[in-house]
Amino acid sequence: MNYRVVDLDTYYRKGVFRHFTQDCNCSTAITHRVDVTPLVEFSHRTSTKFYVNFLYVLAKALNAREDYRLSWRYDTQELIVWDQINPTQYIFHEDTETFTIAYTEYHPDYATFYRNAMSDIEKAKQTREYGLDAANHPNWFDASAIPWISYDSLTLELPDGYLYFNPIVNWGKYREENGRMMMPVSLRLNHAAADGYLLAKAYLLLEEEIAALCGGIV
């Protein structure tokens, strides 16, 4: 869990950061339909899990920029940027209709990440405990699938003034639209750390990582 402190005097978004931490505390979010056709085909071709493959490209995209790796230390009143952020999975149990959290460490190597994620999922399936341990996982971001529906929008609210910078990502069921598999993906960021451009950029990076994975591995 390595990080460095951001110098707010030289931070490139210092004016926006000051405004949205002092004058207007709020978050910003968007839902965008992502073309996951290549990832669906890749998953079928390689006999791998689409869910884990998407989790990988998502984690890789969000680790690509410091803007998505920011966090606020309340104890020291410092803005920090993590060297790496990792996905928090939510494993659903059909029998109890509850979730167990699985903390999966991001690894840039696809095979390593896939193996570790599958292991974490299997361990989570063996318990019915919620498993929340946020205090020991400060650089983990929420990554939660809603596979039962293909939705058009999603709203998630946090308390006003709460400087929570970790990305919160949800995605729904993909569906065919004009011959392409389109999947709703929702991203919530703190407005002090992100604006419309950075929200859009996250989706562009996600699309790039999907193309890289599906084109680079047979």
Side-chain angles (χ1 to χ4, degrees):
M1 294 188 294
N2 296 322
Y3 65 85
R4 66 173 176 80
V5 177
V6 177
D7 184 348
L8 290 177
D9 290 328
T10 59
Y11 178 39
Y12 86 107
R13 301 184 75 253
K14 64 180 181 179
V16 176
F17 182 85
R18 185 208 62 79
H19 175 59
F20 286 108
T21 56
Q22 299 179 25
D23 305 326
C24 181
N25 301 81
C26 64
S27 62
T28 181
I30 194 170
T31 295
H32 175 60
R33 305 191 76 78
V34 176
D35 186 347
V36 294
T37 307
L39 195 61
V40 173
E41 294 174 347
F42 170 84
S43 302
H44 289 161
R45 185 172 72 251
T46 58
S47 298
T48 53
K49 300 291 186 181
F50 171 85
Y51 165 80
V52 179
N53 291 337
F54 180 75
L55 197 67
Y56 169 74
V57 294
L58 174 66
K60 195 172 184 183
L62 292 179
N63 272 284
R65 284 186 67 113
E66 291 186 353
D67 299 284
Y68 309 125
R69 292 185 271 119
L70 294 172
S71 188
W72 181 255
R73 286 198 57 173
Y74 275 94
D75 56 342
T76 61
Q77 294 292 290
E78 293 175 317
L79 180 67
I80 64 173
V81 57
W82 298 105
D83 288 351
Q84 175 178 300
I85 56 175
N86 312 290
T88 301
Q89 301 188 58
Y90 290 81
I91 308 307
F92 183 70
H93 305 294
E94 295 283 352
D95 56 341
T96 59
E97 297 183 344
T98 59
F99 291 87
T100 293
I101 290 176
Y103 292 104
T104 295
E105 186 171 350
Y106 168 67
H107 196 289
D109 178 68
Y110 166 72
T112 301
F113 178 88
Y114 189 93
R115 181 175 60 252
N116 292 343
M118 289 297 293
S119 176
D120 293 333
I121 290 171
E122 290 306 313
K123 290 177 183 177
K125 288 181 177 179
Q126 305 308 311
T127 181
R128 296 298 181 270
E129 296 296 325
Y130 185 44
L132 178 66
D133 185 22
N136 292 311
H137 298 85
N139 59 322
W140 263 253
F141 68 92
D142 283 282
S144 180
I146 307 174
W148 305 278
I149 59 171
S150 182
Y151 61 84
D152 294 314
S153 65
L154 182 146
T155 300
L156 188 148
E157 297 181 4
L158 294 179
D160 290 341
Y162 184 40
L163 299 180
Y164 186 83
F165 291 102
N166 301 38
I168 299 177
V169 187
N170 297 87
W171 62 95
K173 181 180 180 179
Y174 59 77
R175 69 186 184 199
E176 184 177 348
E177 297 178 13
N178 299 317
R180 307 298 293 179
M181 295 300 179
M182 307 300 293
M183 187 172 76
V185 180
S186 302
L187 172 62
R188 181 269 180 198
L189 297 169
N190 192 294
H191 210 340
D195 49 25
Y197 170 77
L198 287 172
L199 280 169
K201 184 63 177 178
Y203 290 100
L204 297 176
L205 289 169
L206 179 58
E207 292 171 354
E208 290 177 8
E209 295 303 339
I210 290 174
L213 176 63
C214 299
I217 300 178
V218 178

